[in-house]
Amino acid sequence: MGAPDLSPPLADAPLPSAVQERSKLRKHFRRFDILFFLLCTIVGVDTIGAVASNGAEAFTWLIVLAAVFFVPSALLCAELGSAFPDEGGPYIWTSRSFGRLAGAVNNFLYWVTNPVWLGGTLTISAVTAFTTFFNGGKDLGTPAFYAFSLVFIWVAVLAAILSFDVGKWIPTLGAWARILLLGFFTATVAGYALEHGLHGFGVHDFSPTYAGFIGLVPVLMFNYVGFELPNSAGEEMTDAQRDVPYAIFRSAALSILLYGLPILGILLVLPTSAITGLGGFLDAIRQVFTIYGGHVAADGTATLSGAGSVLGDLAAVLFILTVLSSGVTWIMGSDRALAVSGYDGAAPRALGAISRRFGTPVRVNLLSGLVATAVLVLAHQLTGGNAAKLFGAVLSLAISTTLVSYIGIFPALPALRRKHPEVPRPYRAPLPRVLATFITVLIVFASVQLLAPGLGSDWFGKNFAPTGWSHAERWTYLLTEALPLAAFILIGVVFWALGAPTRAEAAAATGRTPPTTATTSH
């Protein structure tokens, strides 16, 4: 076979396996489907409390990151998604730019984040909403906890398995649930302010600090990525070249509002000391909804009654639907990307199978469900059922693996501009090299700070150490973050190695070893 194949996929001479699997895809993904899908992808309510718990400066950094990271990433993805609308989106862009090995590692990180996130933070957020509003704030017993959690996880998996013309209704409902929940919460905060006044802030409280930057940038970036995800189903779109830029720019504007206003509302209603990463948003809902019925005790405990109780229960249902739809959209997208790498020779061929019945990667969907279930059980056992510890541990891991994967995605735009200038581009991002370099540097910085908070200033000092960790535990913390990340990178390399038979099939079909640069399908 000669030298190992590190080349991108050949679009004018696709692998036989790719031809076979792509023939099963169905075009069901239209303009407004993409818009709703993106709202579910980007606007996640599970991290609103984590952002707000950093105080008033969280709002400042949210706006700053929107300008210097969120908008540039939207510009880059609008060009990539409309010019290269191949199934597998971010995997295809990375592998066409830097080779299959880079694509395999990057894509495994991109995929594995999502079952970890689903089985960890999303499930625990849903359980917390249920116990807060429907179980009197009492923790569920172990059997009830697992029953609720497993139903939550496998409903998400089932929605991902269903054909897009059916499964896409979960993201659509989830988008409307976000708009209704966050919009009604924001309006209620205004009513609460008129009746009770607000938690006071001075202008100096909004002043940005370096410690706040270190604590907030990773989680804000985690909230602000995802514009590329619909392109994982690029060949299932009816008109990607027109619809992708339309959906990206409108979802960007709506996302900033849907994040910014509720976070500002939480900050105005609750003192920072009362805001937790897990329950901050739910606590704020319970407190402001007392204007419809209920009261706030002297110790700050809110109790709902009458209409307040009914509306609180409705908000909890919307919250659970919202976190469920977040999981569904990311599983739908990342599972497709992994399946594409499977039939493209950058992962085991068995994973690169599209169901002829559903037009979806059922094998990868089931694998995601199994990984999510394993994460749930393992994390629950290791934390002794402590929801806050489970939430924090899994969120940090999910953020780190997510951000590292974008180190391969964002630089793909200038690389593809250079390699394929002939490809028609319905939308062209300004200053692609400058934008890609800047936001990639931000990603690298945030990733380093996740592994070693405060490095370069006061590593694991009192202003930088995560809640519950002491300076003496800094090496333990580093290992808990770095070892899983290193293991995931190694598995990505193993996946590439296991794709060798598929690459050999391509070489045999074309009568030669694939060249080192790709032609395009345009």
Side-chain angles (χ1 to χ4, degrees):
M1 288 179 57
D5 169 29
L6 309 183
S7 64
L10 296 172
D12 63 339
L15 279 64
S17 55
V19 174
Q20 175 186 344
E21 301 302 335
R22 289 165 65 181
S23 68
K24 304 172 187 176
L25 300 173
R26 307 170 187 175
K27 290 188 177 293
H28 292 302
F29 214 13
R30 297 177 174 84
R31 173 173 292 188
F32 284 99
D33 298 328
I34 299 171
L35 174 60
F36 294 144
F37 192 92
L38 276 170
L39 286 177
C40 286
T41 298
I42 297 170
V43 182
V45 297
D46 58 306
T47 55
I48 285 179
V51 174
S53 64
N54 286 272
E57 71 170 304
F59 186 76
T60 303
W61 285 119
L62 182 146
I63 299 303
V64 170
L65 264 293
V68 303
F69 179 80
F70 191 52
V71 172
S73 67
L75 298 176
L76 295 182
C77 290
E79 176 173 333
L80 284 167
S82 57
F84 300 93
D86 305 79
E87 191 81 3
Y91 162 73
I92 290 294
W93 306 336
T94 305
S95 59
R96 282 185 175 179
S97 299
F98 310 114
R100 277 195 182 91
L101 177 57
V105 173
N106 203 76
N107 199 46
F108 184 82
L109 289 170
Y110 189 77
W111 168 76
V112 76
T113 294
N114 296 296
V116 169
W117 186 45
L118 174 63
T121 56
L122 292 182
T123 300
I124 297 306
S125 295
V127 170
T128 302
F130 181 83
T131 57
T132 299
F133 287 91
F134 298 107
N135 201 47
K138 300 176 182 178
D139 291 339
L140 296 176
T142 298
F145 170 84
Y146 279 120
F148 182 96
S149 300
L150 291 175
V151 168
F152 180 86
I153 289 170
W154 287 97
V155 165
V157 172
L158 176 61
I161 287 175
L162 296 175
S163 173
F164 232 138
D165 61 337
V166 178
K168 70 183 181 183
W169 287 105
I170 294 291
T172 299
L173 290 173
W176 284 111
R178 281 162 172 74
I179 294 170
L180 182 58
L181 174 63
L182 299 175
F184 187 62
F185 171 76
T186 302
T188 304
V189 167
Y192 187 90
L194 291 175
E195 186 171 327
H196 297 287
L198 294 173
H199 177 70
F201 281 115
V203 174
H204 69 280
D205 293 313
F206 289 88
S207 300
T209 65
Y210 184 68
F213 178 72
I214 296 301
L216 281 162
V217 164
V219 70
L220 286 174
M221 286 185 176
F222 182 69
N223 288 340
Y224 277 162
V225 294
F227 286 121
E228 77 295 330
L229 189 68
N231 274 96
S232 295
E235 292 173 39
E236 297 167 73
M237 295 177 178
T238 56
D239 191 353
Q241 294 188 334
R242 293 175 58 120
D243 295 345
V244 168
Y246 174 94
I248 284 179
F249 295 137
R250 281 157 180 78
S251 65
L254 284 170
S255 296
I256 292 172
L257 289 175
L258 290 173
Y259 267 133
L261 292 178
I263 287 174
L264 182 60
I266 292 173
L267 292 169
L268 292 173
V269 169
L270 296 177
T272 303
S273 59
I275 303 173
T276 65
L278 176 57
F281 184 40
L282 295 170
D283 292 338
I285 290 174
R286 192 165 51 177
Q287 180 161 328
V288 299
F289 276 32
T290 56
I291 67 171
Y292 305 117
H295 66 278
V296 180
D299 64 356
T301 302
T303 302
L304 297 175
S305 61
S309 180
V310 173
L311 291 172
D313 291 350
L314 176 61
V317 172
L318 291 174
F319 182 94
I320 293 170
L321 178 58
T322 297
V323 293
L324 174 67
S325 60
S326 289
V328 169
T329 53
W330 278 98
I331 290 294
M332 281 180 167
S334 64
D335 283 5
R336 280 168 165 79
L338 185 61
V340 170
S341 70
Y343 64 64
D344 188 59
R349 177 66 182 90
L351 296 178
I354 305 298
S355 165
R356 191 170 296 280
R357 178 181 178 185
F358 298 109
T360 57
V362 174
R363 291 179 185 176
V364 182
N365 297 150
L366 294 174
L367 178 62
S368 289
L370 292 173
V371 172
T373 300
V375 167
L376 172 75
V377 174
L378 181 61
H380 188 263
Q381 294 301 315
L382 291 177
T383 59
N386 184 310
K389 283 186 177 180
L390 195 159
F391 178 88
V394 180
L395 180 60
S396 294
L397 179 59
I399 292 175
S400 63
T401 51
T402 297
L403 293 186
V404 171
S405 71
Y406 285 88
I407 295 173
I409 294 172
F410 289 136
L413 178 57
L416 290 173
R417 279 267 191 109
R418 184 180 68 257
K419 290 185 175 183
H420 302 296
E422 79 286 354
V423 173
R425 287 166 165 80
Y427 169 80
R428 295 179 69 88
L431 304 172
R433 186 179 298 277
V434 173
L435 292 181
T437 300
F438 179 73
I439 62 177
T440 301
V441 169
L442 279 178
I443 287 284
V444 171
F445 177 81
S447 300
V448 170
Q449 292 301 324
L450 277 169
L451 297 175
L455 187 67
S457 175
D458 182 19
W459 177 31
F460 236 73
K462 64 178 182 179
N463 292 325
F464 300 101
T467 302
W469 291 82
S470 68
H471 185 265
E473 296 175 301
R474 61 191 183 281
W475 288 105
T476 301
Y477 180 87
L478 176 61
L479 290 175
T480 62
E481 294 294 318
L483 287 180
L485 183 60
F488 292 155
I489 292 172
L490 179 60
I491 294 172
V493 174
V494 172
F495 269 34
W496 170 80
L498 293 175
T502 307
R503 299 194 297 273
E505 177 189 18
T510 59
R512 57 185 172 84
T513 300
T516 57
T517 54
T519 56
T520 74
S521 57
H522 301 275

